[in-house]
């Protein structure tokens, strides 16, 4: 698909993880989504959503964000020459992500409340002003993110036995299910890994109390719940044994694999780069 607005997203490395494989008793591969242009998988969907917004002649884009959607929307809107309004839960967004949104010239609006409050306001703004909402309720986002499943199958020369990914709002879980369904054949076992403390987890990218895609996500994937110290432990492990510094939320994928112990070839999706959340390193 030719995109009107692209920053070269996708085509990210799939890195074998021999030491984690030994620890986890399966063949672990890491899909390094931190290599996307703004440092998270959100770019895959944002490229499609902002391209469509431009094609429809939208006056601007709006979203709510725990951070990575903000960074991505701001960058793709800048590229498209469109204004972006981003609604953030006050004080809950990692420093690197805020810096990216500010640098790209997005208008930030903080709400005193949760991600859900921000999400509601973003939807209302889109309705009132005729702007395009680029949260994952926008189906273009899911379509764009499904490309990761096709890439993994190409890189491995077949679909893996299992794919584990962090479960925040669940949009990405739905996107992977869709991507693998489009390939046809056997579906990999999908593990959607959520933090035990959804509303307060230190993994801010998945600090979402009430997932907007819950119904669909939980019908296509097995939900696994990981404790805070498990997420932190595997976040350390991936950096210190394989050399990839991901976001805390990304490490939920490995924490889920450690709990469930799937067999065969297992892809853990490392959804974003650790550079986004420098303050979290104090937990290491
Ligand atoms: C958005 C995000 C998630 C969660 O994805 P959902 O589609 O909300 O489930 C996980 N990790 C990172 C780094 C993210 O940016």
């Amino acid at each position: 698909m030719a995109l009107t607005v692209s920053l070269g997203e996708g085509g990210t490395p799939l890195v074998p993880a021999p030491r984690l494989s030994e620890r986890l008793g399966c063949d672990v591969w890491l899909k390094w989504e931190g290599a996307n242009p703004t440092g998270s998988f959100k770019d895959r969907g944002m490229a499609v959503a902002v391209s469509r917004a431009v094609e429809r002649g939208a006056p601007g884009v709006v979203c709510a964000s725990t951070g990575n959607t903000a960074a991505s929307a701001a960058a793709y809107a800048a590229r498209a020459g469109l204004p972006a309004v981003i609604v953030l839960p006050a004080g809950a967004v990692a420093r690197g992500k805020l810096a990216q949104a500010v640098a790209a010239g997005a208008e930030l609006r903080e709400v005193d409340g949760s991600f859900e409050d921000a999400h509601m306001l973003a939807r209302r703004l889109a309705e009132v002003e005729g702007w395009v909402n680029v949260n994952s309720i926008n189906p273009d986002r899911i379509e764009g993110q499904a490309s990761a499943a096709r890439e993994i199958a190409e890189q491995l020369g077949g679909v893996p036995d299992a794919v584990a990914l962090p479960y925040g709002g669940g949009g990405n879980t739905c996107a992977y299910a869709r991507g693998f369904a489009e390939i046809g054949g056997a579906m990999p076992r999908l593990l959607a890994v959520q933090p035990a403390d959804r509303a307060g987890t230190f993994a801010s990218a998945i600090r979402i109390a009430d997932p907007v895609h819950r119904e669909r996500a939980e019908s296509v994937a097995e939900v696994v719940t990981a404790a805070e110290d498990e997420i932190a432990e595997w976040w350390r492990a991936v950096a210190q044994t394989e050399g990839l510094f991901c976001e805390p939320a990304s490490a939920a994928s490995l924490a889920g694999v450690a709990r469930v112990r799937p067999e065969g070839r297992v892809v853990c999706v490392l959804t974003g780069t650790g550079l986004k959340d420098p303050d979290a390193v104090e937990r290491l």
Side-chain angles (χ1 to χ4, degrees), residues 145-157:
Q145 286 166 209
S147 64
R150 290 191 292 274
E151 260 172 42
I152 288 169
E154 274 169 31
Q155 288 168 314
L156 282 178

Side-chain angles (χ1 to χ4, degrees), residues 107-164:
E107 180 187 333
L108 304 183
R109 294 200 196 164
E110 289 203 322
V111 295
D112 256 328
S114 64
F115 173 76
E116 284 71 18
D117 298 323
H119 196 248
M120 214 143 53
L121 179 58
R123 288 177 84 153
R124 212 160 40 205
L125 281 175
E127 276 164 25
V128 170
E129 317 217 4
W131 288 27
V132 172
N133 181 297
V134 292
N135 280 110
S136 65
I137 48 165
N138 180 331
D140 299 334
R141 284 274 312 277
I142 307 298
E143 181 185 328
Q145 286 166 209
S147 64
R150 290 191 292 274
E151 260 172 42
I152 288 169
E154 274 169 31
Q155 288 168 314
L156 282 178
V159 299
D161 297 289
V163 174

Side-chain angles (χ1 to χ4, degrees), residues 174 228 258:
C174 297
E228 292 292 285

Side-chain angles (χ1 to χ4, degrees), residues 39-42 66-69 97 136 141-142 145 165-173 205-206 208 213 247 249-250 270-273 276:
S40 85
F41 74 84
K42 299 293 200 301
T66 63
N68 281 330
T69 300
K97 304 173 188 179
S136 65
R141 284 274 312 277
I142 307 298
Q145 286 166 209
L165 74 171
Y167 172 24
N172 211 30
T173 302
I206 50 174
I208 292 176
H213 297 280
E247 270 199 52
S250 305
L270 299 184
T271 44
T273 168
K276 295 213 173 232

Side-chain angles (χ1 to χ4, degrees), residues 3-274:
L3 292 169
T4 313
V5 186
S6 172
L7 293 169
E9 57 290 330
T12 59
L14 182 67
V15 183
R19 293 192 186 82
L20 294 177
S21 296
E22 209 168 290
R23 256 180 91 174
L24 290 165
C26 56
D27 185 15
V28 178
W29 295 75
L30 305 171
K31 183 62 171 163
W32 181 226
E33 291 290 275
N36 276 297
T38 77
S40 85
F41 74 84
K42 299 293 200 301
D43 294 342
R44 294 178 183 273
M46 205 56 75
V48 177
V50 173
S51 289
R52 297 261 163 81
V54 169
E55 287 156 18
R56 284 190 216 116
V61 298
V62 57
C63 65
S65 182
T66 63
N68 281 330
T69 300
S72 188
Y76 282 82
R79 176 77 179 186
L82 285 180
V85 170
I86 288 156
V87 190
L88 304 162
V93 174
R95 211 143 48 90
K97 304 173 188 179
L98 262 186
Q100 287 178 289
V102 170
E107 180 187 333
L108 304 183
R109 294 200 196 164
E110 289 203 322
V111 295
D112 256 328
S114 64
F115 173 76
E116 284 71 18
D117 298 323
H119 196 248
M120 214 143 53
L121 179 58
R123 288 177 84 153
R124 212 160 40 205
L125 281 175
E127 276 164 25
V128 170
E129 317 217 4
W131 288 27
V132 172
N133 181 297
V134 292
N135 280 110
S136 65
I137 48 165
N138 180 331
D140 299 334
R141 284 274 312 277
I142 307 298
E143 181 185 328
Q145 286 166 209
S147 64
R150 290 191 292 274
E151 260 172 42
I152 288 169
E154 274 169 31
Q155 288 168 314
L156 282 178
V159 299
D161 297 289
V163 174
L165 74 171
Y167 172 24
N172 211 30
T173 302
C174 297
Y176 272 82
R178 174 172 168 175
F180 284 117
E182 283 167 1
I183 294 168
M187 275 293 274
R189 193 172 167 192
L190 279 185
L191 305 175
V193 189
Q194 65 180 0
D197 180 12
R198 268 191 166 272
T201 178
F202 85 109
S204 61
I206 50 174
R207 192 182 295 147
I208 292 176
D210 188 13
V212 65
H213 297 280
R214 173 176 273 146
E215 201 176 325
R216 169 98 186 121
E218 298 192 3
S219 74
V220 295
E222 295 166 50
V223 178
V224 184
T225 301
E228 292 292 285
D229 57 350
E230 294 171 323
I231 296 173
E233 177 194 341
W234 289 99
W235 181 45
R236 263 193 303 277
V238 69
Q240 296 181 1
T241 67
E242 304 291 2
L244 287 178
F245 176 39
C246 64
E247 270 199 52
S250 305
S253 58
L254 285 151
V257 169
R259 275 192 165 246
V260 171
R261 301 283 172 154
E263 293 183 347
R265 284 193 301 189
V266 178
V267 173
C268 292
V269 183
L270 299 184
T271 44
T273 168

